[in-house]
Amino acid sequence: MPSVLARGAAPATAAGLALALALATAPPATAAPGDVRVRVGVTGGPYTASVGLVITSPRTVFGGFYCAADGLAATPLTALVDADEQYGLGGVRARWDAATQDFVVTEIHGDAADATKKWNAYVNEKKITKGPCHTAIKGGDKIRWTLEAAAPAPAS
């Protein structure tokens, strides 16, 4: 017959084991600092897409340029690039514009901007007024990239 001490130790050991297992379980995944979850859509050309939640953050894009609004926040361009990587939009191309010190999206899924049409970004259905790396976005935002008629060049 086991001693009283041994019988009393078993529940304590089981409780200790349960506690150890609870502590060993991995904590729920949390977002990294700067990560946001947004929805991204592409419209205006032959290719149209609306993807699920995209996890995006300030990051390096196209040839090593860091894209972050105020150096800290995710942007419409990081959301587009991450949507392409996470859902396969068919490729995103952009060029650096030295005058604005920002990128200009030139192509999404083969739908190219040209002299008559350009890619514009909208955040929560409001057209951005700064460049796509200078516009901050936050979790829950809806980002839409639309191929639209370009504004006519000013008359000289």
Side-chain angles (χ1 to χ4, degrees), residues 57-69 75 77-78 81 94-98 101-104 133-134:
S57 62
R59 62 173 285 190
T60 301
V61 296
F62 309 116
F65 293 99
Y66 190 67
C67 182
T75 70
L77 186 58
T78 61
V81 170
R95 67 172 171 76
W96 181 255
D97 181 9
Q101 292 293 294
D102 209 332
F103 286 97
V104 174
C133 282
H134 290 105

Side-chain angles (χ1 to χ4, degrees), residues 9-115:
T13 303
L17 179 60
L19 178 62
L21 288 173
L23 293 175
T25 304
T30 57
D35 279 2
V36 296
R37 288 165 174 78
V38 297
R39 298 212 179 267
V40 176
V42 177
T43 62
Y47 176 77
T48 298
S50 181
V51 299
L53 286 176
V54 173
I55 300 169
T56 191
S57 62
R59 62 173 285 190
T60 301
V61 296
F62 309 116
F65 293 99
Y66 190 67
C67 182
D70 302 321
L72 302 170
T75 70
L77 186 58
T78 61
L80 178 64
V81 170
D82 286 327
D84 184 42
E85 290 178 2
Q86 293 167 29
Y87 291 95
L89 297 180
V92 174
R93 293 180 186 245
R95 67 172 171 76
W96 181 255
D97 181 9
T100 62
Q101 292 293 294
D102 209 332
F103 286 97
V104 174
V105 172
T106 58
E107 185 177 310
I108 301 172
H109 191 82
D111 294 339
D114 59 25

Side-chain angles (χ1 to χ4, degrees), residues 40-45 76-77 80 93 103-108 111-114 116-132 135 142-152:
V40 176
V42 177
T43 62
L77 186 58
L80 178 64
R93 293 180 186 245
F103 286 97
V104 174
V105 172
T106 58
E107 185 177 310
I108 301 172
D111 294 339
D114 59 25
T116 63
K117 54 191 176 186
K118 69 179 211 169
W119 284 102
N120 290 311
Y122 292 78
V123 176
N124 299 323
E125 298 306 319
K126 186 175 179 185
K127 188 175 180 179
I128 66 172
T129 57
K130 298 182 205 172
T135 302
K142 293 179 183 169
I143 314 306
R144 179 171 49 91
W145 284 87
T146 302
L147 188 58
E148 301 176 314

